[in-house]
Amino acid sequence: MKFLKKLVRDEKGATAIEYGLIAALIAVAAITAMQSLGNNLSATFNSVSANMAAGA
């Protein structure tokens, strides 16, 4: 019975799960931001390339 009471009071597993969820959320936000930045950067390079080709 002591083991079950100790297991119920132990919050290490819950804390680890919370940290894992936070890390996953940060990863999703970073991937989304990087994709958006990549798309914008690609559009900028395409525009520069087109302008350089038109000027040459």
Side-chain angles (χ1 to χ4, degrees), residues 16-39:
I17 291 172
E18 289 169 358
Y19 284 137
L21 290 173
I22 291 169
L25 181 62
I26 291 170
V28 168
I31 290 169
T32 303
M34 288 178 197
Q35 283 179 339
S36 176
L37 178 65
N39 290 338

Side-chain angles (χ1 to χ4, degrees), residues 38 40-51:
N40 291 339
L41 191 58
S42 178
T44 300
F45 280 127
N46 287 337
S47 174
V48 169
S49 176
N51 287 336

